[in-house]
Amino acid sequence: MRISELSRVSGVPVATIKFYLREGLLPEGVRTSPNQAQYEDAHAQRLRLIRALVGVGGLSLAAARNVLGHIDEPAGLTLDLLGTAHQAVAPELPDDVELGPAVALLRRWGWDACADAVGQGDETRVDDALGGLAVALAALDDAGFVVEPARMDTYADAMMQVARAEIDGLPTETASAAVRYVVLGTVLVEPVLLALRRLAQREASAARFRGSTPQVLEHERE
Amino acid sequence: MRISELSRVSGVPVATIKFYLREGLLPEGVRTSPNQAQYEDAHAQRLRLIRALVGVGGLSLAAARNVLGHIDEPAGLTLDLLGTAHQAVAPELPDDVELGPAVALLRRWGWDACADAVGQGDETRVDDALGGLAVALAALDDAGFVVEPARMDTYADAMMQVARAEIDGLPTETASAAVRYVVLGTVLVEPVLLALRRLAQREASAARFRGSTPQVLEHERE
């Protein structure tokens, strides 16, 4: 199909398609003349994937290119699938982040595979995920927002249930299927989980307060 | 204290402090001369909170101003605490998002307080959280990434455990404490949960594959 048809079937404007081509996110079509190229269904699928990553996934163009690169060339991921997948979408971390409190939490939960891997070098890359936790804990601290240990344990339990289900579902037929599953599962499932948390809060609030308004606030209004 | 001292105790550069003052995120100090003002400890605390929101919280300046406004004037939140808190940090949603699949999930889980509130008008604002779920589901679909119903149920169960613990911990002594808890808990706990998910995936992967490398990938390398 021509680029105009590709635009129609994908819902992506021609100018945006040309931008993605220039940026190397979308592979070139087969050139049929100096001004024309032919595109396949695979291009339309790729366009939808790009839109998902930079839209809801919230990735920058550079991060999206990185993620797509990992999906295109899964051979590079054999050594540490999760580490590489996570790094592809990891936020930039400050150099001087204090890992101690985060490691102490891992030890309390018996997450020793992670705790033991800290500082073991590039291959494990657990430090990125751990750094993310350390930065998030420091931000809570800065904001004066106390999360009780029991609540933190609840968070860890809940996320371990999530992770077990995800790892159990890892497709093991081919490396490329595994990589696609881990990379896209990391980026695209995050917004699902966050939206579910907010809806669950409303549901739990309705159950506790028999309505959407906590009672203390009702009293203050009277 | 003077602005130079405020900079020292908070670790925020003077130029940045002046920027936050101009943007209305930080209240003015008490002016002691045309070129000088005095600041209190409360200013230093507020600065740390701003840094947490725009740093790890990932909020834009406009969103941070919105969140701080809700914390400063909790009176406006009496009608629907969670709805307003969530809206303060909600991503922009497209107008034409299809809510049907998200509502069907809520009904399957018996989250009827949320499902019943859909389209009931501004006061409930459940539509924002639901819209977030709908957009996230559409992105999975666009990317051709299938989340099996059983996995989605696991996500919902895990997030309900999280939400119950959070709502049970809601401070009910004062409205301002409740508002601060909900607004900061929404923004600042999200990065904690996402980091925990990644670490739990590594831990679950190590448990399943007895090492950090899924077996299929090992085979392909041989």
Side-chain angles (χ1 to χ4, degrees):
Chain A
M1 67 188 107
R2 294 200 191 163
I3 197 166
S4 55
E5 173 76 358
L6 178 63
S7 169
R8 201 185 57 73
V9 300
S10 65
V12 178
V14 168
T16 308
I17 294 176
K18 288 185 175 172
F19 176 70
Y20 291 150
L21 285 167
R22 279 199 306 277
E23 290 287 320
L25 295 174
L26 185 69
E28 299 283 342
V30 176
R31 210 152 275 286
T32 52
S33 83
N35 295 319
Q36 239 172 54
Q38 282 289 319
Y39 299 89
E40 310 295 324
D41 286 346
H43 284 93
Q45 282 173 27
R46 176 73 158 216
L47 271 177
R48 279 191 288 271
L49 176 55
I50 295 170
R51 299 296 275 190
L53 292 175
V54 302
V56 174
L59 296 192
S60 65
L61 280 184
R65 189 185 297 112
N66 194 5
V67 166
L68 291 167
H70 285 308
I71 290 176
D72 292 340
E73 292 178 21
L77 287 191
T78 47
L79 272 182
D80 178 10
L81 180 67
L82 282 170
T84 312
H86 290 165
Q87 205 186 35
V89 295
E92 291 263 338
L93 297 178
D95 288 336
D96 59 349
V97 56
E98 173 56 63
L99 295 181
V103 173
L105 283 177
L106 296 185
R107 292 288 181 203
R108 191 168 88 213
W109 299 324
W111 293 13
D112 291 323
C114 286
D116 291 342
V118 172
Q120 292 295 304
D122 265 347
E123 238 175 57
T124 66
R125 288 204 182 115
V126 75
D127 295 7
D128 287 331
L130 191 73
L133 178 60
V135 168
L137 293 176
L140 288 176
D141 208 38
D142 280 350
F145 190 84
V146 177
V147 174
E148 304 290 341
R151 172 99 44 83
M152 199 60 88
D153 294 348
T154 300
Y155 290 157
D157 286 349
M159 288 304 113
M160 184 53 86
Q161 286 170 43
V162 163
R164 282 212 186 100
E166 290 172 328
I167 297 298
D168 284 348
L170 187 75
T172 48
E173 308 84 46
T174 66
S176 64
V179 169
R180 189 182 158 84
Y181 178 88
V182 170
V183 173
L184 293 184
T186 298
V187 179
L188 295 178
V189 171
E190 288 186 353
V192 174
L193 290 170
L194 298 182
L196 287 177
R197 174 178 173 232
R198 294 183 185 194
L199 288 163
Q201 284 176 336
R202 305 185 66 95
E203 201 67 32
S205 175
R208 179 170 170 200
F209 297 108
R210 320 232 165 249
S212 64
T213 309
Q215 286 161 337
V216 57
L217 303 178
E218 288 283 10
H219 293 156
E220 288 183 10
R221 262 200 302 161
E222 283 160 12
Chain B
M1 68 188 106
R2 292 199 194 166
I3 196 165
S4 53
E5 173 75 359
L6 178 62
S7 170
R8 201 186 58 72
V9 301
S10 65
V12 178
V14 170
T16 308
I17 295 176
K18 288 184 173 170
F19 175 69
Y20 291 151
L21 286 167
R22 278 200 306 278
E23 290 286 322
L25 296 174
L26 185 69
E28 299 284 341
V30 176
R31 210 151 276 286
T32 52
S33 83
N35 295 320
Q36 242 174 51
Q38 282 290 318
Y39 299 90
E40 311 294 325
D41 286 345
H43 285 93
Q45 282 172 28
R46 175 72 158 219
L47 271 175
R48 280 192 286 271
L49 176 56
I50 296 170
R51 299 297 275 191
L53 292 175
V54 302
V56 175
L59 296 192
S60 66
L61 280 184
R65 190 187 296 112
N66 193 6
V67 166
L68 291 167
H70 285 309
I71 291 176
D72 293 340
E73 293 178 20
L77 287 191
T78 46
L79 272 181
D80 179 12
L81 179 67
L82 283 170
T84 311
H86 289 166
Q87 204 186 35
V89 294
E92 291 261 338
L93 297 178
D95 287 336
D96 58 348
V97 55
E98 173 57 62
L99 296 180
V103 173
L105 284 177
L106 296 185
R107 292 288 181 201
R108 191 168 86 212
W109 300 324
W111 293 14
D112 291 324
C114 287
D116 291 343
V118 172
Q120 292 295 303
D122 265 346
E123 240 176 56
T124 65
R125 286 199 184 120
V126 74
D127 296 7
D128 287 330
L130 190 73
L133 178 60
V135 167
L137 294 176
L140 289 176
D141 207 40
D142 281 349
F145 190 83
V146 177
V147 175
E148 302 292 339
R151 171 99 44 83
M152 198 60 87
D153 294 349
T154 300
Y155 290 156
D157 286 349
M159 289 304 113
M160 183 54 85
Q161 285 170 41
V162 163
R164 282 212 187 100
E166 293 174 324
I167 296 297
D168 283 349
L170 186 74
T172 48
E173 309 83 49
T174 66
S176 64
V179 169
R180 190 181 155 85
Y181 177 89
V182 169
V183 172
L184 293 184
T186 298
V187 179
L188 295 177
V189 172
E190 288 186 352
V192 173
L193 290 170
L194 297 182
L196 288 177
R197 175 180 173 229
R198 293 183 186 195
L199 288 163
Q201 285 176 336
R202 305 185 68 94
E203 201 66 34
S205 176
R208 180 173 169 196
F209 297 108
R210 321 232 166 251
S212 65
T213 310
Q215 287 161 337
V216 58
L217 303 179
E218 290 284 9
H219 292 157
E220 286 182 12
R221 264 200 300 161
E222 282 161 12

Tab-separated table of all heavy atoms in Angstrom, chain B residues 44-94:
chain	number	residue	atom	x	y	z
B	44	ALA	N	11.331	25.453	53.881
B	44	ALA	CA	12.252	24.362	53.539
B	44	ALA	C	11.479	23.058	53.329
B	44	ALA	O	11.751	22.301	52.387
B	44	ALA	CB	13.297	24.201	54.643
B	45	GLN	N	10.489	22.810	54.197
B	45	GLN	CA	9.657	21.609	54.034
B	45	GLN	C	8.901	21.640	52.709
B	45	GLN	O	8.815	20.645	52.000
B	45	GLN	CB	8.629	21.514	55.168
B	45	GLN	CG	9.220	21.005	56.478
B	45	GLN	CD	8.222	21.099	57.616
B	45	GLN	OE1	7.018	21.038	57.395
B	45	GLN	NE2	8.732	21.265	58.832
B	46	ARG	N	8.363	22.816	52.416
B	46	ARG	CA	7.611	22.958	51.171
B	46	ARG	C	8.511	22.715	49.960
B	46	ARG	O	8.100	22.075	48.995
B	46	ARG	CB	7.025	24.376	51.109
B	46	ARG	CG	6.316	24.723	49.823
B	46	ARG	CD	4.983	23.988	49.709
B	46	ARG	NE	4.091	24.664	48.810
B	46	ARG	CZ	2.785	24.793	48.992
B	46	ARG	NH1	2.217	24.244	50.034
B	46	ARG	NH2	2.030	25.425	48.127
B	47	LEU	N	9.753	23.211	50.035
B	47	LEU	CA	10.696	22.995	48.934
B	47	LEU	C	10.954	21.513	48.717
B	47	LEU	O	11.010	21.028	47.585
B	47	LEU	CB	12.029	23.698	49.231
B	47	LEU	CG	12.150	25.131	48.764
B	47	LEU	CD1	13.479	25.715	49.238
B	47	LEU	CD2	12.041	25.226	47.236
B	48	ARG	N	11.123	20.773	49.817
B	48	ARG	CA	11.364	19.336	49.684
B	48	ARG	C	10.162	18.642	49.055
B	48	ARG	O	10.300	17.724	48.242
B	48	ARG	CB	11.706	18.731	51.050
B	48	ARG	CG	13.159	18.968	51.467
B	48	ARG	CD	13.551	18.140	52.665
B	48	ARG	NE	12.959	18.670	53.886
B	48	ARG	CZ	13.536	19.598	54.659
B	48	ARG	NH1	14.731	20.080	54.344
B	48	ARG	NH2	12.944	20.023	55.743
B	49	LEU	N	8.987	19.105	49.438
B	49	LEU	CA	7.766	18.529	48.857
B	49	LEU	C	7.688	18.818	47.356
B	49	LEU	O	7.382	17.932	46.550
B	49	LEU	CB	6.541	19.092	49.590
B	49	LEU	CG	5.163	18.682	49.072
B	49	LEU	CD1	5.023	17.171	49.038
B	49	LEU	CD2	4.064	19.292	49.945
B	50	ILE	N	7.979	20.046	46.966
B	50	ILE	CA	7.964	20.407	45.541
B	50	ILE	C	8.940	19.531	44.765
B	50	ILE	O	8.616	19.004	43.698
B	50	ILE	CB	8.328	21.900	45.347
B	50	ILE	CG1	7.255	22.797	45.990
B	50	ILE	CG2	8.486	22.238	43.872
B	50	ILE	CD1	7.662	24.276	46.067
B	51	ARG	N	10.159	19.354	45.333
B	51	ARG	CA	11.156	18.536	44.644
B	51	ARG	C	10.678	17.106	44.482
B	51	ARG	O	10.935	16.469	43.472
B	51	ARG	CB	12.487	18.544	45.427
B	51	ARG	CG	13.085	19.918	45.566
B	51	ARG	CD	13.451	20.524	44.253
B	51	ARG	NE	14.772	20.106	43.829
B	51	ARG	CZ	15.429	20.647	42.815
B	51	ARG	NH1	14.869	21.602	42.095
B	51	ARG	NH2	16.622	20.240	42.495
B	52	ALA	N	10.015	16.584	45.508
B	52	ALA	CA	9.512	15.212	45.436
B	52	ALA	C	8.455	15.098	44.335
B	52	ALA	O	8.438	14.137	43.562
B	52	ALA	CB	8.928	14.792	46.782
B	53	LEU	N	7.584	16.105	44.231
B	53	LEU	CA	6.500	16.045	43.247
B	53	LEU	C	7.020	16.172	41.822
B	53	LEU	O	6.637	15.404	40.942
B	53	LEU	CB	5.469	17.148	43.521
B	53	LEU	CG	4.654	17.013	44.807
B	53	LEU	CD1	3.769	18.241	44.993
B	53	LEU	CD2	3.804	15.751	44.782
B	54	VAL	N	7.898	17.137	41.585
B	54	VAL	CA	8.349	17.356	40.205
B	54	VAL	C	9.518	16.429	39.855
B	54	VAL	O	9.829	16.251	38.679
B	54	VAL	CB	8.754	18.826	39.927
B	54	VAL	CG1	7.597	19.768	40.202
B	54	VAL	CG2	9.974	19.223	40.725
B	55	GLY	N	10.151	15.836	40.858
B	55	GLY	CA	11.241	14.903	40.589
B	55	GLY	C	10.677	13.505	40.379
B	55	GLY	O	10.209	13.163	39.290
B	56	VAL	N	10.702	12.688	41.423
B	56	VAL	CA	10.228	11.311	41.336
B	56	VAL	C	8.763	11.241	40.938
B	56	VAL	O	8.348	10.383	40.168
B	56	VAL	CB	10.428	10.595	42.685
B	56	VAL	CG1	9.826	9.206	42.641
B	56	VAL	CG2	11.904	10.509	42.997
B	57	GLY	N	7.955	12.159	41.485
B	57	GLY	CA	6.534	12.166	41.161
B	57	GLY	C	6.300	12.376	39.673
B	57	GLY	O	5.292	11.968	39.125
B	58	GLY	N	7.265	13.030	39.010
B	58	GLY	CA	7.189	13.191	37.561
B	58	GLY	C	6.112	14.175	37.130
B	58	GLY	O	5.671	14.152	35.980
B	59	LEU	N	5.686	15.059	38.038
B	59	LEU	CA	4.630	16.000	37.677
B	59	LEU	C	5.197	17.200	36.914
B	59	LEU	O	6.328	17.632	37.159
B	59	LEU	CB	3.934	16.516	38.938
B	59	LEU	CG	3.169	15.501	39.790
B	59	LEU	CD1	2.305	16.230	40.806
B	59	LEU	CD2	2.312	14.601	38.929
B	60	SER	N	4.385	17.743	36.018
B	60	SER	CA	4.707	19.027	35.406
B	60	SER	C	4.540	20.103	36.469
B	60	SER	O	3.923	19.880	37.511
B	60	SER	CB	3.752	19.302	34.244
B	60	SER	OG	2.443	19.466	34.741
B	61	LEU	N	5.086	21.306	36.198
B	61	LEU	CA	4.906	22.413	37.141
B	61	LEU	C	3.426	22.712	37.351
B	61	LEU	O	2.985	22.960	38.475
B	61	LEU	CB	5.609	23.671	36.626
B	61	LEU	CG	7.122	23.742	36.854
B	61	LEU	CD1	7.641	25.073	36.370
B	61	LEU	CD2	7.477	23.527	38.318
B	62	ALA	N	2.650	22.652	36.265
B	62	ALA	CA	1.220	22.941	36.379
B	62	ALA	C	0.538	21.905	37.270
B	62	ALA	O	-0.276	22.254	38.134
B	62	ALA	CB	0.580	22.955	34.988
B	63	ALA	N	0.884	20.636	37.088
B	63	ALA	CA	0.267	19.578	37.891
B	63	ALA	C	0.703	19.713	39.345
B	63	ALA	O	-0.101	19.523	40.268
B	63	ALA	CB	0.636	18.209	37.343
B	64	ALA	N	1.987	20.057	39.568
B	64	ALA	CA	2.471	20.228	40.942
B	64	ALA	C	1.730	21.380	41.619
B	64	ALA	O	1.343	21.290	42.786
B	64	ALA	CB	3.979	20.487	40.948
B	65	ARG	N	1.513	22.470	40.872
B	65	ARG	CA	0.783	23.610	41.436
B	65	ARG	C	-0.636	23.188	41.815
B	65	ARG	O	-1.160	23.557	42.864
B	65	ARG	CB	0.746	24.769	40.426
B	65	ARG	CG	0.210	26.067	41.022
B	65	ARG	CD	0.025	27.159	39.983
B	65	ARG	NE	1.268	27.583	39.381
B	65	ARG	CZ	1.615	27.383	38.115
B	65	ARG	NH1	0.784	26.785	37.281
B	65	ARG	NH2	2.770	27.787	37.655
B	66	ASN	N	-1.222	22.380	40.969
B	66	ASN	CA	-2.568	21.869	41.202
B	66	ASN	C	-2.616	21.012	42.475
B	66	ASN	O	-3.465	21.204	43.350
B	66	ASN	CB	-2.985	21.040	39.976
B	66	ASN	CG	-4.466	20.729	39.964
B	66	ASN	OD1	-5.208	21.218	40.815
B	66	ASN	ND2	-4.897	19.926	39.015
B	67	VAL	N	-1.650	20.086	42.591
B	67	VAL	CA	-1.588	19.211	43.771
B	67	VAL	C	-1.382	20.036	45.034
B	67	VAL	O	-2.066	19.851	46.046
B	67	VAL	CB	-0.451	18.181	43.608
B	67	VAL	CG1	-0.142	17.504	44.936
B	67	VAL	CG2	-0.818	17.151	42.546
B	68	LEU	N	-0.445	20.986	44.986
B	68	LEU	CA	-0.168	21.820	46.157
B	68	LEU	C	-1.393	22.652	46.523
B	68	LEU	O	-1.692	22.860	47.699
B	68	LEU	CB	1.039	22.724	45.883
B	68	LEU	CG	2.380	21.982	45.773
B	68	LEU	CD1	3.458	22.887	45.196
B	68	LEU	CD2	2.824	21.437	47.127
B	69	GLY	N	-2.100	23.105	45.504
B	69	GLY	CA	-3.322	23.873	45.753
B	69	GLY	C	-4.345	23.046	46.516
B	69	GLY	O	-4.993	23.535	47.452
B	70	HIS	N	-4.468	21.775	46.143
B	70	HIS	CA	-5.418	20.911	46.851
B	70	HIS	C	-4.990	20.697	48.298
B	70	HIS	O	-5.817	20.601	49.195
B	70	HIS	CB	-5.533	19.564	46.141
B	70	HIS	CG	-6.333	19.642	44.880
B	70	HIS	ND1	-7.581	20.205	44.826
B	70	HIS	CD2	-6.056	19.255	43.614
B	70	HIS	CE1	-8.050	20.146	43.592
B	70	HIS	NE2	-7.135	19.576	42.832
B	71	ILE	N	-3.672	20.587	48.507
B	71	ILE	CA	-3.185	20.391	49.878
B	71	ILE	C	-3.388	21.662	50.693
B	71	ILE	O	-3.724	21.621	51.876
B	71	ILE	CB	-1.701	19.972	49.856
B	71	ILE	CG1	-1.585	18.551	49.280
B	71	ILE	CG2	-1.089	20.043	51.241
B	71	ILE	CD1	-0.173	18.076	49.115
B	72	ASP	N	-3.220	22.823	50.050
B	72	ASP	CA	-3.366	24.091	50.760
B	72	ASP	C	-4.819	24.408	51.104
B	72	ASP	O	-5.101	25.031	52.115
B	72	ASP	CB	-2.808	25.244	49.908
B	72	ASP	CG	-1.291	25.149	49.742
B	72	ASP	OD1	-0.669	24.448	50.568
B	72	ASP	OD2	-0.757	25.740	48.809
B	73	GLU	N	-5.732	24.001	50.235
B	73	GLU	CA	-7.136	24.359	50.456
B	73	GLU	C	-8.021	23.136	50.402
B	73	GLU	O	-8.802	22.948	49.467
B	73	GLU	CB	-7.588	25.375	49.402
B	73	GLU	CG	-6.885	26.697	49.571
B	73	GLU	CD	-7.301	27.697	48.501
B	73	GLU	OE1	-8.370	27.520	47.887
B	73	GLU	OE2	-6.541	28.651	48.283
B	74	PRO	N	-7.931	22.296	51.433
B	74	PRO	CA	-8.678	21.035	51.410
B	74	PRO	C	-10.186	21.219	51.446
B	74	PRO	O	-10.907	20.289	51.160
B	74	PRO	CB	-8.182	20.302	52.658
B	74	PRO	CG	-7.607	21.351	53.526
B	74	PRO	CD	-7.114	22.429	52.633
B	75	ALA	N	-10.655	22.420	51.761
B	75	ALA	CA	-12.098	22.620	51.845
B	75	ALA	C	-12.778	22.223	50.537
B	75	ALA	O	-13.871	21.663	50.538
B	75	ALA	CB	-12.413	24.074	52.160
B	76	GLY	N	-12.102	22.474	49.441
B	76	GLY	CA	-12.706	22.177	48.144
B	76	GLY	C	-12.830	20.694	47.855
B	76	GLY	O	-13.418	20.299	46.862
B	77	LEU	N	-12.279	19.877	48.716
B	77	LEU	CA	-12.254	18.439	48.459
B	77	LEU	C	-13.326	17.662	49.200
B	77	LEU	O	-13.379	16.456	49.120
B	77	LEU	CB	-10.895	17.871	48.881
B	77	LEU	CG	-9.715	18.213	47.981
B	77	LEU	CD1	-8.529	17.380	48.372
B	77	LEU	CD2	-10.066	17.976	46.529
B	78	THR	N	-14.171	18.354	49.961
B	78	THR	CA	-15.071	17.611	50.841
B	78	THR	C	-15.997	16.673	50.086
B	78	THR	O	-16.313	15.608	50.567
B	78	THR	CB	-15.936	18.587	51.664
B	78	THR	OG1	-16.444	19.576	50.785
B	78	THR	CG2	-15.115	19.236	52.754
B	79	LEU	N	-16.432	17.068	48.905
B	79	LEU	CA	-17.438	16.260	48.238
B	79	LEU	C	-16.904	14.928	47.746
B	79	LEU	O	-17.547	13.916	47.863
B	79	LEU	CB	-18.028	17.027	47.046
B	79	LEU	CG	-19.212	17.893	47.433
B	79	LEU	CD1	-19.739	18.595	46.195
B	79	LEU	CD2	-20.312	17.039	48.061
B	80	ASP	N	-15.723	14.944	47.186
B	80	ASP	CA	-15.201	13.714	46.611
B	80	ASP	C	-13.685	13.734	46.686
B	80	ASP	O	-12.993	14.081	45.737
B	80	ASP	CB	-15.678	13.550	45.172
B	80	ASP	CG	-15.118	12.287	44.544
B	80	ASP	OD1	-14.565	11.450	45.285
B	80	ASP	OD2	-15.234	12.147	43.318
B	81	LEU	N	-13.197	13.318	47.836
B	81	LEU	CA	-11.776	13.382	48.128
B	81	LEU	C	-10.933	12.647	47.090
B	81	LEU	O	-10.031	13.215	46.478
B	81	LEU	CB	-11.554	12.758	49.514
B	81	LEU	CG	-10.142	12.691	50.034
B	81	LEU	CD1	-9.621	14.082	50.305
B	81	LEU	CD2	-10.088	11.846	51.308
B	82	LEU	N	-11.231	11.375	46.863
B	82	LEU	CA	-10.413	10.585	45.946
B	82	LEU	C	-10.530	11.091	44.515
B	82	LEU	O	-9.544	11.177	43.793
B	82	LEU	CB	-10.843	9.118	45.985
B	82	LEU	CG	-10.365	8.311	47.185
B	82	LEU	CD1	-11.077	6.973	47.210
B	82	LEU	CD2	-8.862	8.102	47.107
B	83	GLY	N	-11.727	11.445	44.138
B	83	GLY	CA	-11.933	11.905	42.770
B	83	GLY	C	-11.101	13.137	42.479
B	83	GLY	O	-10.432	13.225	41.451
B	84	THR	N	-11.104	14.085	43.415
B	84	THR	CA	-10.360	15.315	43.191
B	84	THR	C	-8.859	15.057	43.241
B	84	THR	O	-8.094	15.602	42.451
B	84	THR	CB	-10.757	16.380	44.229
B	84	THR	OG1	-12.185	16.441	44.277
B	84	THR	CG2	-10.217	17.730	43.838
B	85	ALA	N	-8.454	14.209	44.183
B	85	ALA	CA	-7.032	13.873	44.274
B	85	ALA	C	-6.553	13.214	42.990
B	85	ALA	O	-5.501	13.551	42.451
B	85	ALA	CB	-6.789	12.944	45.461
B	86	HIS	N	-7.341	12.298	42.488
B	86	HIS	CA	-6.940	11.592	41.270
B	86	HIS	C	-6.923	12.530	40.079
B	86	HIS	O	-6.043	12.465	39.229
B	86	HIS	CB	-7.885	10.424	41.002
B	86	HIS	CG	-7.711	9.296	41.973
B	86	HIS	ND1	-8.612	8.288	42.103
B	86	HIS	CD2	-6.717	9.041	42.866
B	86	HIS	CE1	-8.185	7.439	43.036
B	86	HIS	NE2	-7.053	7.881	43.512
B	87	GLN	N	-7.901	13.429	40.031
B	87	GLN	CA	-7.956	14.338	38.889
B	87	GLN	C	-6.752	15.287	38.884
B	87	GLN	O	-6.263	15.662	37.829
B	87	GLN	CB	-9.250	15.152	38.910
B	87	GLN	CG	-9.596	15.629	37.509
B	87	GLN	CD	-10.780	16.544	37.485
B	87	GLN	OE1	-10.987	17.336	38.399
B	87	GLN	NE2	-11.545	16.454	36.434
B	88	ALA	N	-6.284	15.625	40.078
B	88	ALA	CA	-5.150	16.538	40.171
B	88	ALA	C	-3.919	15.966	39.480
B	88	ALA	O	-3.047	16.707	39.033
B	88	ALA	CB	-4.827	16.825	41.642
B	89	VAL	N	-3.837	14.655	39.397
B	89	VAL	CA	-2.648	14.037	38.817
B	89	VAL	C	-2.981	13.160	37.619
B	89	VAL	O	-2.135	12.407	37.143
B	89	VAL	CB	-1.913	13.185	39.874
B	89	VAL	CG1	-1.356	14.092	40.967
B	89	VAL	CG2	-2.826	12.140	40.470
B	90	ALA	N	-4.213	13.250	37.127
B	90	ALA	CA	-4.619	12.378	36.022
B	90	ALA	C	-3.987	12.833	34.714
B	90	ALA	O	-3.815	14.022	34.489
B	90	ALA	CB	-6.138	12.386	35.884
B	91	PRO	N	-3.609	11.886	33.869
B	91	PRO	CA	-3.123	12.254	32.539
B	91	PRO	C	-4.291	12.775	31.703
B	91	PRO	O	-5.446	12.490	31.989
B	91	PRO	CB	-2.612	10.927	31.981
B	91	PRO	CG	-3.369	9.858	32.718
B	91	PRO	CD	-3.690	10.430	34.067
B	92	GLU	N	-3.967	13.563	30.684
B	92	GLU	CA	-4.996	14.015	29.741
B	92	GLU	C	-5.525	12.811	28.963
B	92	GLU	O	-4.746	11.992	28.469
B	92	GLU	CB	-4.377	14.993	28.729
B	92	GLU	CG	-3.972	16.308	29.323
B	92	GLU	CD	-5.022	17.379	29.062
B	92	GLU	OE1	-5.804	17.217	28.114
B	92	GLU	OE2	-5.041	18.363	29.820
B	93	LEU	N	-6.827	12.707	28.864
B	93	LEU	CA	-7.407	11.581	28.136
B	93	LEU	C	-8.042	12.069	26.843
B	93	LEU	O	-8.584	13.172	26.800
B	93	LEU	CB	-8.478	10.907	28.992
B	93	LEU	CG	-7.987	10.282	30.301
B	93	LEU	CD1	-9.155	9.704	31.062
B	93	LEU	CD2	-6.945	9.223	30.018
B	94	PRO	N	-7.985	11.256	25.792
B	94	PRO	CA	-8.690	11.623	24.570
B	94	PRO	C	-10.199	11.589	24.807
B	94	PRO	O	-10.677	10.888	25.698
B	94	PRO	CB	-8.267	10.530	23.579
B	94	PRO	CG	-7.794	9.389	24.421
B	94	PRO	CD	-7.280	9.975	25.702
